[in-house]
Amino acid sequence: MHILDIIEKKKNKLPLSEQEIQFFIDGYVNDTIPDYQASALLMAIRINGLNFEETLHLTKSMLYSGETIDLSGIDGYKVDKHSTGGVGDKVTLIIAPIVAALDVKVAKLSGRGLGITGGTLDKLEAIEGVSIDLTEEQFINQVNDIGFAIAGQTQNIVPADKKLYALRDVTGTVDSLPLIASSIMSKKLASGADGMVLDVKYGSGAFCKTIEVAQDLAEIMIKIAEGFGKSIVTVLSSMNNPLGRTIGNKNEVKEAYDLLKNPDAADKNLLNTVIEVSTYMYEISSKKSHEEAKKAVLEVLHSDIPVQKFEAMVHAQRLTAEKSPIELDFEPKFSVDVIAPEGTTGFVKNIDAQTIGTISLDLGAGRHTKADVLDFFAGVEILKVKGDAIEAGDVIMKLYANKEVPAEFVEKALATMEYSETAIDPIDAKRVLKSKDLAE
Ligand code: URA
């Protein structure tokens, strides 16, 4: 078998066999297929797609490209959560301590930023001393002790995705449904949870630009999960606007921590997403009704337990640093205000998430190449989010970086704004799809 034949086949829109997919994954993981040939095949897949059979074979080959995690050492139901990626999406940092506070175990393997979308691992590393490199033993012990852990995939877990994910990020091959579905599901299946909730984003700041495409992705992932006998809920939620009021790394962690400390002061749309996703995680774990699960989530959210869980996670994952207080002072060297110009009046209708994601990336919060080093202070703070009343002279956003912020970024940020004369609901509606075993 030759990789060039496989590339030619996909270039000519022909389906690949299980053996060909296995050959590609084995060769790429073992370094016998170089990046340039893998990139060519990824681009052919991005353009010509994969059918469901091919997607299932790809998921399986990726899943078994390394070790899978054995969570049998963790007592109780293990639930996982994943977002297909968005701008300002800090939900994992918030829901894991909430669900753990309800005595459900969350053993979470997360990813790094991809394109304009941030990654939970990058955000966690913005907290002084926190490591995402846990051994399997540390990971399992932490989940048993605290109720949750958030770690990076080790080289041994789905190594195929680790390599492909980084390559896709820099070759324009992220936005492919079969590649996204196999990437997410291989990791979810390898991490051994009993059930999972996937937050499938759609809109300008997401890989899926419309709710219809998000639904297609959700349906592929549900079919894959069903094939492996796993319970799954997919929550389709909008990423037309950034999620919450911060985009970056350190500022997002601060927003997450602040929400846990005082949910009533949090951004309403972010809070709604947090409550919905936590409720489904608790619902599939506890088998309670949606209403009962939501009541329990709201009660625990208004207690001190999730904050204590978050702090316990930070201390546990500070493997080398001393147990000092969590230091989230946000002091970037440069900060530039984006001000509502003359004539602005009404309510914020939309803030284009894709452009804000690009600004944040260009300020240093994300990577253009695999080797880029992040500026944890870089990013955007939105002071006027969707639904807020606004008038000329208001500060709409602040742009942060440790390097001088170019003036054109302010113009670009202003151009993301759409206004309405009438009031706008800040909370985006959600669509939910479930695996057959959970469907009412
Ligand atoms: N998240 C993933 O884990 N993989 C993708 O391909 C996209 C989002």
Side-chain angles (χ1 to χ4, degrees), residues 82-85 114 161 165 168 174 179-181 183-184 187 207:
H82 195 86
S83 161
T84 53
L114 193 59
D161 183 62
Y165 199 95
R168 286 169 55 215
V174 169
L179 294 181
I180 297 176
S183 159
I184 293 176
K187 284 183 299 229
F207 306 124

Side-chain angles (χ1 to χ4, degrees), residues 150-171:
I150 305 174
Q153 294 159 244
T154 64
Q155 287 296 349
N156 301 340
I157 296 161
V158 199
D161 183 62
K162 208 172 164 87
K163 279 192 85 177
L164 286 172
Y165 199 95
L167 186 65
R168 286 169 55 215
D169 191 20
V170 293
T171 54

